[in-house]
C-alpha cells in the first residue's frame, strides 16, 4: 500500500562556501505535520530531546533506514551510522519502523536514548517502498542516503563523500560496496577516495551508457531537493523496487559522479 501524500517541493539552494555552513536561521516544524494525521504514523522520540529535534536548523544529511524484523542486525547497522566523523547536528538517522513484530523498535529506541540524531517513526507494515518514501517526505537533510536495517556501512566514510557533494555541487554521488557474511565484520574501507582530487562530473545518462548499472539504492547519495522536485518515488508493491527508482534518478541527474570508496556492507543473510 502506497502513500498518497506527495513530497513537498524543496527549494534548490546554492552550494555553501564550506562544508556544514549551510544552516540558516529557521525554526524547524519538521514534526508539526503529524498533528491530526490519520495514516497511523507515530513519531517516537525521548521527550527530553523533543525541543532539540524540533528547533535545530536544517542539517546536511538524512540517512533513511527502513526497519522490519531485523533486531539481530540493527545495533550493528545503526551503530555504523554513528561512527562517520560527523557531528550529530550535521545529520539525522530516520528510522522507519515498518510494522516490526520482533524487538526492532525497542532496539532502535534504546539507541536513540544515547544518540540525539536518531529519529524513529513507527507504523503498520507497508513495505520498504512506502517506508523509504515516508523517510524522504520527513527528511530535513540537504542530502538523503538509504541504508537497510540489516546492513551497515564502513567507518568514517560519509564526511568525505559529503565534501565531494558540496565541492562539486552534485545531484547524485555513487560509490562501491562489499558483500559480506552475516557473521563477518568489515568496518574499515579498503579503498578511500581523497575528495581533494575532485571527480569527473557527467550526467547520469552518460554514466548509464558507459558503465555497468548498479541498481541498489544504497550505492548512491542523492540531493534531496533534486529528488523531491523530480517527482521520483519508490513504487509500492513492486519487487526489486529500488532498481526502477535508481534508473529514474540517474536518468534525471545532470550532475553525477562516482568514486571507488567501498562504503556499503551488504549482508548475505542465512
Amino acid at each position: 500500500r502506497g502513500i498518497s501524500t506527495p513530497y513537498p517541493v524543496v527549494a534548490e539552494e546554492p552550494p555553501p562556501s564550506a562544508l556544514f555552513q549551510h544552516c540558516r536561521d529557521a525554526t524547524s516544524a519538521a514534526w508539526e505535520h503529524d498533528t491530526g494525521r490519520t495514516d497511523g504514523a507515530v513519531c517516537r522520540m525521548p521527550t527530553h530531546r523533543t525541543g532539540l529535534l524540533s528547533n535545530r536548523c536544517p542539517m546536511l544529511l538524512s540517512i533513511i533506514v527502513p526497519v522490519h524484523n531485523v533486531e539481530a542486525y540493527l545495533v550493528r547497522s545503526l551503530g555504523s551510522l554513528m561512527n562517520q566523523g560527523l557531528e550529530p547536528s550535521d545529520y539525522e538517522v530516520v528510522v522507519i519502523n515498518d510494522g516490526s513484530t520482533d524487538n526492532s523498535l525497542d532496539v532502535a529506541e534504546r539507541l536513540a536514548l544515547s544518540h540525539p540524531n536518531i529519529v524513529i517513526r513507527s507504523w503498520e507494515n507497508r513495505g520498504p517502498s512506502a517506508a523509504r518514501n515516508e523517510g524522504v517526505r520527513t527528511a530535513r537533510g540537504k542530502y538523503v542516503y538509504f541504508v537497510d536495517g540489516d546492513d551497515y556501512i564502513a567507518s568514517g566514510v560519509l564526511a568525505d563523500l559529503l565534501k565531494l557533494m558540496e565541492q562539486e555541487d552534485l545531484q547524485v554521488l555513487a560509490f562501491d560496496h562489499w558483500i559480506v557474511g552475516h557473521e563477518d565484520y568489515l568496518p574499515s574501507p579498503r579503498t578511500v577516495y581523497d575528495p581533494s582530487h575532485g571527480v569527473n562530473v557527467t550526467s547520469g545518462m552518460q554514466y548509464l551508457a558507459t558503465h555497468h548499472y548498479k541498481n541498489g539504492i544504497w550505492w548512491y547519495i542523492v540531493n534531496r531537493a533534486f529528488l523531491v522536485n523530480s517527482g521520483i518515488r519508490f513504487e509500492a508493491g513492486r519487487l526489486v523496487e529500488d532498481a526502477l527508482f535508481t534508473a529514474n534518478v540517474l536518468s534525471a541527474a545532470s550532475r553525477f559522479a562516482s568514486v571507488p570508496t567501498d562504503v556499503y556492507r551488504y549482508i548475505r543473510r542465512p
Side-chain angles (χ1 to χ4, degrees), residues 34 37-43 121-124 126 134 137:
D34 290 328
R37 285 186 60 161
T38 60
D39 62 1
V42 177
C43 172
R121 294 181 61 77
S122 190
W123 63 7
E124 65 187 47
R126 304 181 188 189
E134 179 69 359
R137 195 180 72 81

Side-chain angles (χ1 to χ4, degrees), residues 13-18 22 142-143 165-169:
E13 299 180 13
S17 57
H22 67 292
K142 183 176 179 180
Y143 305 104
M165 294 289 291
E166 296 280 84
Q167 175 181 301
E168 304 293 340
D169 191 23

Side-chain angles (χ1 to χ4, degrees), residues 67-69 96-102 122-126:
V67 167
H68 180 72
N69 294 346
I96 307 295
N97 175 47
D98 190 35
S100 294
T101 56
D102 64 357
S122 190
W123 63 7
E124 65 187 47
N125 179 244
R126 304 181 188 189

